[in-house]
Amino acid sequence: MKLLITGGAGFIGSHIADHYHAKSHEVFVLDNLASGHRENIPFIDEDHFFEVDVCDTEKVTDIIKLHQFDVVIHLAAVVSVVDTVNQPVKSNKVNIDATLNLLETNREHNPQLKKFVFASSAAVYGNNPQLPKTTQSIVQPESPYAVQKYAGEQYTKMYHHLYDLPTTALRFFNIYGPKQDPNSQYSGVISIMKRKFDNDETFTFFGDGEQTRDFVYVKDLVNAIALVVENSETNGEVLNVGTGNQTSLKDIFSAFESSYQKTVDYQFEPARKGDVKHSVADVTPLKEIGYEPQYTINTGLEEYLNS
Ligand SMILES: NC(=O)c1ccc[n+]([C@@H]2O[C@H](COP(=O)([O-])OP(=O)(O)OC[C@H]3O[C@@H](n4cnc5c(N)ncnc54)[C@H](O)[C@@H]3O)[C@@H](O)[C@H]2O)c1
């Protein structure tokens, strides 16, 4: 298969690229390296790497026309909620306009496309307290990021219903694993905790630490995507990718203590505005197509911390 992964030099994209490359598929990556790193994908040669902004309609169209990909996995995005708050118009161009353009370009110029996957986010649920979150739950986007992800997934879905493009949108919950960038305050909490334990620095709980999340080891996410890519019944669907299990930040901290055989100082600060207290995915629809998470939070952390 010939695949295009936008945002493929980032944390999640580099794992997906690795998966398909290892299976001898032809993997192309399009990334402007805004938050990704070329070193994440050393196995992708220069002929398969486009250092291109996904907003560059002309270049993106030329690439799609020329290569006629079987599969497009669209991950390129402004991923920081804070960046979207600070730059709602600019981030809208990347997160919505470029997504729409990519769909349209595939509709017009790539008749043999087998699957288009869009990376949406559990952020679309916002503060809706209903648990578990199902794709029938009411969405309550609380940031430009969440609005943009919601728009992107709805366009993705609509392109199937209107134009029969084989699309699926996936709402990722909290993904963690090797290559996740810990350098922003707003990165995944597990990568931040790892940095604190590596450097003996103080960890800050925003809130009481009892808040829970559905943490997904990146390899389980890759397996979910691989299943969806092969499954045409998911065309036109929006699906959650979680594990169905809730873990509190305090429990994650304890797991770090056990793994590192030490502790670090910690402090509490008020919960951040808009932070949800509990989050867990209903993954029944994904399980119906054969998804079964292979990692518990403990085995995932163990592999991550020893990687
Ligand atoms: N990590 C998570 O827990 C999580 C949760 C929900 C959704 N997501 C979504 O998954 C996708 C991948 O996220 P990630 O965690 O790997 O983040 P990441 O920052 O590591 O990856 C994003 C990639 O997109 C690239 N990119 C950004 N703007 C671009 C542009 N204009 N043109 C081309 N490339 C551009 C970046 O350089 C980077 O390589 C994103 O769409 C994100 O919103 C991630």
Side-chain angles (χ1 to χ4, degrees):
M1 263 187 331
K2 210 168 173 183
L3 298 98
L4 176 68
I5 305 173
T6 76
F11 157 49
I12 293 171
S14 61
H15 286 277
I16 301 172
D18 197 3
H19 171 90
Y20 282 105
H21 181 263
K23 290 190 174 331
S24 301
H25 293 290
E26 191 174 12
V27 180
F28 291 79
V29 165
L30 184 153
D31 199 302
N32 70 349
L33 304 179
S35 58
H37 306 281
R38 185 69 179 88
E39 309 81 80
N40 280 344
I41 43 169
F43 48 87
I44 300 288
D45 64 27
E46 287 310 310
D47 290 342
H48 292 77
F49 181 69
F50 310 113
E51 190 172 339
V52 165
D53 190 320
V54 72
C55 299
D56 187 334
T57 308
E58 210 172 304
K59 281 193 186 148
V60 170
T61 304
D62 287 348
I63 290 167
I64 300 281
K65 269 185 179 169
L66 177 66
H67 289 286
Q68 299 291 297
F69 301 104
D70 300 301
V71 174
V72 175
I73 300 176
H74 178 38
L75 307 165
V78 177
V79 296
S80 154
V81 172
V82 178
D83 286 351
T84 69
V85 170
N86 292 337
Q87 298 193 304
V89 176
K90 190 174 167 204
S91 57
N92 203 80
K93 290 190 169 54
V94 183
N95 291 356
I96 301 183
D97 295 354
T99 300
L100 179 56
N101 179 60
L102 200 54
L103 288 162
E104 182 61 10
T105 305
N106 275 286
R107 174 169 90 96
E108 276 187 46
H109 302 295
N110 192 11
Q112 63 144 38
L113 182 73
K114 311 264 181 325
K115 183 67 94 174
F116 181 103
V117 177
F118 174 72
S120 184
S121 168
V124 302
Y125 295 114
N127 272 324
N128 176 359
Q130 185 198 329
L131 291 178
K133 317 279 190 196
T134 82
T135 45
Q136 274 74 51
S137 301
I138 289 171
V139 296
Q140 289 185 1
E142 309 266 345
S143 62
Y145 175 78
V147 170
Q148 292 159 7
K149 284 291 172 189
Y150 189 63
E153 63 163 55
Q154 293 301 309
Y155 269 128
T156 300
K157 180 178 167 177
M158 189 178 288
Y159 261 67
H160 178 67
H161 296 299
L162 290 181
Y163 311 116
D164 220 19
L165 207 70
T167 63
T168 309
L170 299 175
R171 292 180 181 167
F172 301 170
F173 278 64
N174 292 66
I175 317 299
Y176 69 97
K179 297 194 242 178
Q180 188 163 29
D181 189 350
N183 290 322
S184 145
Q185 195 193 345
Y186 294 90
S187 309
V189 65
I190 290 182
S191 66
I192 295 175
M193 213 180 271
K194 180 175 187 300
R195 180 165 53 101
K196 301 297 185 187
F197 270 79
D198 284 342
N199 299 319
D200 288 310
E201 290 169 357
T202 303
F203 179 77
T204 303
F205 288 99
F206 292 96
D208 59 9
E210 302 290 352
Q211 64 267 50
T212 58
R213 295 290 180 269
D214 189 336
F215 292 104
V216 186
Y217 193 57
V218 67
K219 287 191 183 169
D220 278 331
L221 169 66
V222 170
N223 287 335
I225 289 173
L227 278 172
V228 165
V229 163
E230 294 299 328
N231 185 299
S232 59
E233 281 175 21
T234 58
N235 290 348
E237 298 288 320
V238 179
L239 301 170
N240 285 336
V241 188
T243 65
N245 298 312
Q246 275 172 282
T247 310
S248 75
L249 294 197
K250 276 188 171 166
D251 285 343
I252 299 278
F253 192 87
S254 301
F256 268 72
E257 289 178 319
S258 304
S259 176
Y260 279 79
Q261 296 282 297
K262 69 172 185 184
T263 193
V264 297
D265 291 338
Y266 56 90
Q267 62 186 10
F268 294 93
E269 285 190 13
R272 286 188 302 220
K273 198 163 163 271
D275 270 0
V276 290
K277 183 82 182 171
H278 298 293
S279 170
V280 65
D282 172 28
V283 286
T284 312
L286 205 53
K287 286 192 166 176
E288 280 167 4
I289 64 160
Y291 170 72
E292 196 53 57
Q294 299 299 304
Y295 289 83
T296 64
I297 188 68
N298 287 322
T299 56
L301 277 179
E302 193 182 307
E303 184 168 311
Y304 173 40
L305 299 179
N306 293 313
S307 66

